[in-house]
């Protein structure tokens, strides 16, 4: 995942959490939906696990798509640790695929998944010789599909890219799992608070990177 994408998702979830909090009926509907999907995943562990990994991987390739709404049901079905492993694995696979697509595909194909203007913007500021800490910051703060395609296109060292991706996805995966656990535990106040903190943190992280990257030309 990434800070900007997480920020957008958390903003929507925070708004929904406020609405749901004001309506016990809506909150019960959400919990019922989570429970229904959770039961399905629990009864179909193998197929559900493969599907969950696939959706998680695909969410890295396509900007509007996200696997985060499925996580509460997965936590309910498989527990925190297994869900974390599946989610993290899916995100890493998606990051690898996006890098390879960027490395070996034409621009017209990539434009079907993401705005190429953003990639052009970052290509002027990130190079194959960029320091690892800057690439890690880039991977952490910028939408994952944009960062992965960009680093693939410029042919940034794959091993360093993979390490940066692992380090960048780790805190987001932990945060998503923790937030989902709180939601299904029916701690709505804590859930809303965690979402607000996550939203604020993601926003400031993204803004800090944009400020830093403007000096990289």
């Amino acid at each position: 995942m990434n800070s900007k994408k997480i920020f957008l998702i958390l903003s929507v979830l925070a708004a929904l959490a406020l609405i749901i909090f004001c309506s016990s009926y809506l909150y019960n509907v959400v919990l019922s939906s989570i429970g229904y999907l959770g039961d399905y995943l629990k009864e179909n562990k193998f197929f559900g696990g493969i599907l969950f990994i696939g959706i998680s991987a695909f969410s890295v390739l396509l900007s509007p798509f996200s696997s985060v709404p499925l996580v509460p049901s997965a936590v309910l079905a498989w527990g925190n640790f297994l869900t974390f492993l599946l989610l993290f694995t899916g995100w890493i696979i998606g990051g690898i695929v996006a890098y390879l697509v960027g490395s070996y595909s034409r621009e017209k194909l990539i434009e079907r998944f993401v705005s190429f203007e953003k990639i052009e913007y970052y290509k002027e500021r990130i190079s194959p010789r960029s320091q690892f800490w800057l690439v890690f910051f880039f991977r952490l703060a910028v939408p994952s599909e944009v960062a992965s395609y960009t680093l693939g296109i410029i042919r940034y060292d794959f091993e360093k890219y993979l390490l940066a991706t692992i380090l960048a996805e780790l805190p987001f995966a932990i945060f998503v799992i923790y937030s989902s656990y709180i939601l299904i535990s029916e701690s709505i106040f804590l859930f809303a608070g965690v979402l607000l903190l996550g939203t604020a943190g993601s926003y400031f992280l993204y803004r800090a990177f944009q400020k830093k990257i403007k000096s990289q030309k």
Side-chain angles (χ1 to χ4, degrees):
M1 196 54 70
N2 52 84
S3 62
K4 186 177 180 181
K5 192 170 183 178
I6 288 290
F7 169 71
L8 293 174
I9 294 172
L10 291 182
S11 297
V12 173
L13 290 178
L16 290 175
L18 180 60
I19 295 173
I20 292 171
F21 173 70
C22 295
S23 172
S24 58
Y25 172 75
L26 289 177
Y27 187 53
N28 290 330
V29 168
V30 170
L31 290 180
S32 296
S33 299
I34 292 173
Y36 179 79
L37 181 56
D39 289 339
Y40 174 81
L41 294 176
K42 192 173 183 179
E43 293 174 1
N44 301 270
K45 291 183 179 180
F46 180 77
F47 175 76
I50 296 298
L51 182 62
F52 185 73
I53 291 176
I55 292 175
S56 299
F58 187 71
S59 69
V60 178
L61 302 174
L62 193 61
S63 182
F65 189 73
S66 175
S67 58
V68 171
L70 298 177
V71 175
S73 297
V75 169
L76 190 62
W78 304 320
N80 294 336
F81 184 69
L82 181 55
T83 303
F84 167 79
L85 289 180
L86 296 176
L87 180 68
F88 190 64
T89 299
W91 283 355
I92 298 303
I93 291 174
I96 293 173
V97 172
Y99 175 91
L100 294 176
V101 170
S103 297
Y104 299 106
S105 298
R106 295 182 178 180
E107 295 181 0
K108 290 184 178 181
L109 176 61
I110 298 176
E111 286 177 346
R112 296 181 180 181
F113 298 99
V114 66
S115 170
F116 209 79
E117 293 180 0
K118 296 179 180 179
I119 293 178
E120 290 291 345
Y121 173 80
Y122 290 116
K123 278 173 60 180
E124 297 178 358
R125 292 160 174 80
I126 303 291
S127 76
R129 297 177 298 279
S130 293
Q131 295 180 338
F132 176 79
W133 70 266
L134 179 63
V135 173
F136 166 67
F137 199 7
F138 175 51
R139 190 62 181 77
L140 186 68
V142 172
S144 52
E145 65 280 358
V146 174
S148 298
Y149 290 137
T150 301
L151 294 171
I153 289 172
I154 66 175
R155 299 295 179 89
Y156 184 75
D157 182 81
F158 177 75
E159 292 183 358
K160 292 181 179 179
Y161 163 79
L162 183 59
L163 177 59
T165 297
I166 291 173
L167 295 177
E169 298 291 17
L170 184 61
F172 289 122
I174 293 174
F175 179 81
V176 170
I177 296 297
Y178 179 64
S179 300
S180 299
Y181 175 75
I182 293 175
L183 176 62
I184 62 178
S185 298
E186 302 185 28
S187 303
I188 189 63
F189 278 114
L190 182 57
F191 176 68
V194 169
L195 286 185
L196 290 175
L197 288 176
T199 301
S202 297
Y203 173 78
F204 285 116
L205 178 63
Y206 177 73
R207 295 299 300 173
F209 177 75
Q210 293 303 321
K211 183 178 180 180
K212 177 63 180 178
I213 204 66
K214 287 181 179 179
S215 64
Q216 303 291 326
K217 292 186 178 180

